[in-house]
Amino acid sequence: MKKIILLAVGLAMLTGCAKQERVRQSEFMLDTICTITIYNEENKDKSSDELISEAFELCSDYEKIFSRTVEDSDIYRINHSNGQPVEVSDDTIEILEIAEHYSELSAGAFDITTAPLSVLWDFEGEAPHVPPAEEIEALRAKVDHTKIKTEGNTVTLEPPVEAIDLGAIAKGYIADRLSEYLRENGVTSATISLGGNLYAIGSNEEENRPFYLGIQDPKAEDGSILGYVTTSDKSLVTSGDYQRFFIEDGVRYHHILDPKTGYPSDSGLCSVTIISDSSVDGDALSTSCFVLGLDQGMELINSLDKIDAVFIDNDGNMYFSDGFDGEIEYTPAE
Ligand code: AMP
Ligand code: MG
């Protein structure tokens, strides 16, 4: 018997067909459910479970830097600095520079200084309601991304800006860091899901095929999938009006704000999915395009190299960027 087992193991090693068990863990982090699944890794010292636990520790470290509400985070200290310079980490400087890039690229549709408006709308609160118009107007005047000044490792918020919020970009930045960490530690096949941010490392080695990353049906309340994007080594990020919202007098008020009005963006889109190499680009662009709307958003996506998108409008129509004519494939769910 022993001989047979040894022979089987030996054969599996020779033919390279020893299949690794898929390992998956979920944690509640970044205000959402985060799941990491490893399909294959070649790390001689650490198990897949250990690698996932370490990745979650890294995620928690980033949350402690980027959170608006965790006291002592870089963002908390910036928001409580009363206009004084604040010393922050390299990661915070980097993410602020990326945010500024997308604010410029989107002509202000993406703006992390919308923070006071998000606090006022309080979409995560117990009983959110539409704030008084005068209050929205007063806080809209505090939105201006050009007033975030960085020099070396210091950040200063100049008046009228009082606060920033990385909710539209942090998950993408963190997904990139986690994928780097896992790759550096021998992971060749894995998926990372941080709420609406998905990232595929390599392809699905368990089934010898690319990964199928799902786009949620924005109109289905059970979170069912509308279709799949077939891809390897890519990020897929969705911004949707169904992710955080409340209904008042029959109207849906969702968490993606138009910095120009101070109200939830009313561009006619209800879901924007970006497919890109880096998840921080996808995260910033999904929010940007949601606010820009179909025409301007799709024009922006088609002007960018190696970035693709699927937009869904309020009537359920789907729109695909040019890359779907060849490189990327979309398959509707059955
Ligand atoms: P996302 O789900 O990535 O589209 O990001 C939405 C989150 O980003 C919201 O919950 C707010 O915290 C913040 N936010 C809302 N509107 C904007 C905007 N126009 N630009 C940047 N951040 C925003
Ligand atoms: Mg985003």
Side-chain angles (χ1 to χ4, degrees), residues 20-34:
Q20 183 175 321
E21 286 280 304
R22 156 183 9 157
V23 178
R24 173 172 292 162
Q25 281 182 37
S26 294
E27 295 260 354
F28 191 85
M29 279 187 186
L30 310 169
D31 281 332
T32 189
I33 295 170
C34 300

Side-chain angles (χ1 to χ4, degrees), residues 3-260:
K3 262 189 199 155
I4 296 173
I5 293 171
L6 278 177
L7 190 68
V9 171
L11 269 178
M13 280 163 68
L14 270 178
T15 54
C17 65
K19 280 247 166 103
Q20 183 175 321
E21 286 280 304
R22 156 183 9 157
V23 178
R24 173 172 292 162
Q25 281 182 37
S26 294
E27 295 260 354
F28 191 85
M29 279 187 186
L30 310 169
D31 281 332
T32 189
I33 295 170
C34 300
T35 303
I36 300 177
T37 311
I38 293 183
Y39 295 80
N40 190 46
E41 44 96 350
E42 281 148 19
N43 190 311
K44 295 196 178 57
D45 305 319
K46 290 174 187 167
S47 69
S48 295
D49 269 315
E50 279 172 302
L51 290 169
I52 296 177
S53 299
E54 286 176 9
F56 277 132
E57 270 168 41
L58 195 58
C59 187
S60 158
D61 291 345
Y62 278 113
E63 186 168 22
K64 285 182 201 133
I65 301 176
F66 293 150
S67 164
R68 190 171 48 74
T69 50
V70 170
E71 280 189 35
D72 261 14
S73 76
D74 280 357
I75 304 309
Y76 185 93
R77 290 186 301 111
I78 292 170
N79 290 350
H80 291 80
S81 63
N82 294 317
Q84 295 305 306
V86 176
E87 186 90 11
V88 296
S89 61
D90 292 348
D91 284 295
T92 298
I93 294 294
E94 192 182 342
I95 201 169
L96 291 179
E97 281 168 1
I98 300 170
E100 179 55 19
H101 169 72
Y102 283 102
S103 291
E104 284 167 24
L105 201 64
S106 67
F110 182 88
D111 194 325
I112 59 172
T113 65
T114 47
L117 284 161
S118 295
V119 172
L120 178 68
W121 279 92
D122 193 23
F123 293 100
E124 277 122 77
E126 299 224 323
H129 61 89
V130 180
E134 320 81 71
E135 286 184 37
I136 294 177
E137 202 46 34
L139 293 185
R140 204 176 58 82
K142 298 186 187 298
V143 178
D144 182 353
H145 61 92
T146 66
K147 301 293 182 195
I148 308 169
K149 306 289 178 186
T150 57
E151 205 187 316
N153 273 63
T154 60
V155 182
T156 313
L157 298 186
E158 292 184 349
V161 166
E162 289 173 0
I164 56 174
D165 161 22
L166 300 178
I169 190 171
K171 289 206 281 290
Y173 185 89
I174 296 170
D176 287 337
R177 298 293 82 77
L178 300 191
S179 69
E180 268 167 22
Y181 177 80
L182 292 174
R183 273 204 181 91
E184 281 163 11
N185 281 280
V187 174
T188 59
S189 175
T191 53
I192 299 166
S193 165
L194 311 178
N197 277 64
L198 304 178
Y199 191 95
I201 296 178
S203 55
N204 183 334
E205 290 183 27
E206 190 181 50
E207 296 182 20
N208 268 329
R209 56 166 175 80
F211 280 113
Y212 305 143
L213 301 184
I215 296 180
Q216 203 171 314
D217 181 349
K219 300 288 178 224
E221 280 172 20
D222 62 356
S224 59
I225 298 296
L226 203 59
Y228 297 91
V229 174
T230 306
T231 190
S232 304
D233 284 313
K234 290 271 185 193
S235 151
L236 183 140
V237 181
T238 300
S239 286
D241 69 354
Y242 56 88
Q243 291 168 338
R244 258 170 211 161
F245 67 94
F246 64 87
I247 308 244
E248 190 168 301
D249 296 332
V251 179
R252 177 188 291 252
Y253 295 92
H254 62 79
H255 68 141
I256 303 167
L257 302 175
D258 183 343
K260 293 202 169 64

Side-chain angles (χ1 to χ4, degrees), residues 168-169 239 283-284 286-287:
I169 190 171
S239 286
D283 202 356
S286 66
T287 312

